[in-house]
Amino acid sequence: METVFTYYGHATLGLHTAETKLIIDPWFSGNPWVKFSAEDVNADYLLVTHAHGDHLGDTVAIAKRTDATVISNFEICEWLGEQGIKTHSMHLGGDFQFPFGQVKLTTAMHGSSFPDKSYGGNPVGFLITTLHGKKIYLAGDTGLFGDMALIGREGLDLAIIPIGGNYTMGPDDALEAVKLLAPKQVVPIHYNTFEVIKQDPHTWAARVSAETNSEPVVLKPGETVVL
């Protein structure tokens, strides 16, 4: 049973596992990276790390069209529920067994606010364990934090981490994150979308290869990794 990870661009991601389609942080409209529109994608579940516009994105439109369930923190789920969206609210450290596998919410060192500037709850990452035992860590927007070592003890098959700097970890801290997480493979995201987060992912990947045992995988929008 394969799990297919898709990089749509920026921090918009896809997982197709156990015949279930997941979209993470579905920002398609106005995203200069993505080659797809919000109308092109289907989803059974939408996972939202925090309420900023480049992550909450097209959640409402996609959820209404596909009848997908949104998994996120309590505050985001309450906000979406008021708009008639199906949700499953969780919070930091909580885990739940879904039909496609287990989801645990992890710490993310960031902020979270809705388009009207109201509070969007704690930002989160997601640790997903698929039905065939693959462990995937979606860090979300975050700075480096020491407890990534605890997440790494899970034995990660794939880690998805930001490298852009300014709003999240930059290349140096992202390299330290790889050392703490020790995933088999790591994909950099959240870079080059805006001038202020411009980075060279290939230079970073070369450092990962030289200094860790993890395999860096730099993806273009639309490309995939099969686990």
Side-chain angles (χ1 to χ4, degrees):
M1 186 184 299
E2 293 182 339
T3 295
V4 179
F5 167 79
T6 301
Y7 178 55
Y8 288 107
H10 187 60
T12 302
L13 317 170
L15 281 176
H16 190 181
T17 184
E19 304 303 320
T20 303
K21 294 180 180 179
L22 285 63
I23 303 291
I24 299 92
D25 288 346
W27 178 41
F28 293 91
S29 301
N31 186 338
W33 274 75
V34 300
K35 299 179 179 180
F36 308 88
S37 72
E39 290 73 30
D40 292 329
V41 296
N42 291 311
D44 300 296
Y45 292 88
L46 300 169
L47 280 64
V48 179
T49 61
H50 63 290
H52 290 161
D54 59 329
H55 296 263
L56 184 64
D58 297 290
T59 296
V60 172
I62 295 173
K64 286 186 175 180
R65 178 174 57 82
T66 65
D67 199 35
T69 298
V70 179
I71 302 170
S72 192
N73 68 29
F74 178 81
E75 289 80 5
I76 290 174
C77 287
E78 286 288 289
W79 185 83
L80 291 170
E82 291 175 356
Q83 301 179 64
I85 305 300
K86 292 194 306 184
T87 66
H88 182 107
S89 65
M90 301 179 66
H91 247 309
L92 292 171
D95 61 77
F96 189 82
Q97 186 70 34
F98 293 93
F100 60 85
Q102 185 190 61
V103 174
K104 178 184 286 186
L105 266 60
T106 63
T107 296
M109 306 295 288
H110 198 59
S112 180
S113 58
F114 292 107
D116 65 1
K117 310 304 181 185
S118 61
Y119 177 57
N122 289 314
V124 303
F126 296 103
L127 177 62
I128 298 173
T129 305
T130 70
L131 295 179
H132 59 301
K134 297 294 184 181
K135 289 186 177 289
I136 303 160
Y137 172 51
L138 308 162
D141 278 16
T142 189
L144 178 67
F145 57 93
D147 282 354
M148 286 181 174
L150 296 178
I151 298 171
R153 290 182 190 177
E154 295 279 346
L156 302 176
D157 294 285
L158 179 65
I160 316 299
I161 65 174
I163 68 165
N166 197 73
Y167 300 114
T168 69
M169 294 185 290
D172 291 341
D173 280 357
L175 176 60
E176 292 303 312
V178 176
K179 293 176 182 179
L180 294 174
L181 294 166
K184 293 178 182 176
Q185 293 182 300
V186 58
V187 173
I189 65 167
H190 208 281
Y191 62 90
N192 289 355
T193 315
F194 319 111
E195 184 66 26
V196 74
I197 59 171
K198 189 174 182 179
Q199 303 291 348
D200 182 348
H202 297 285
T203 297
W204 179 80
R207 296 176 65 192
V208 172
S209 294
E211 299 184 36
T212 79
N213 292 320
S214 300
E215 177 191 357
V217 182
V218 178
L219 298 176
K220 296 178 181 178
E223 291 186 336
T224 62
V225 172
V226 178
L227 301 176

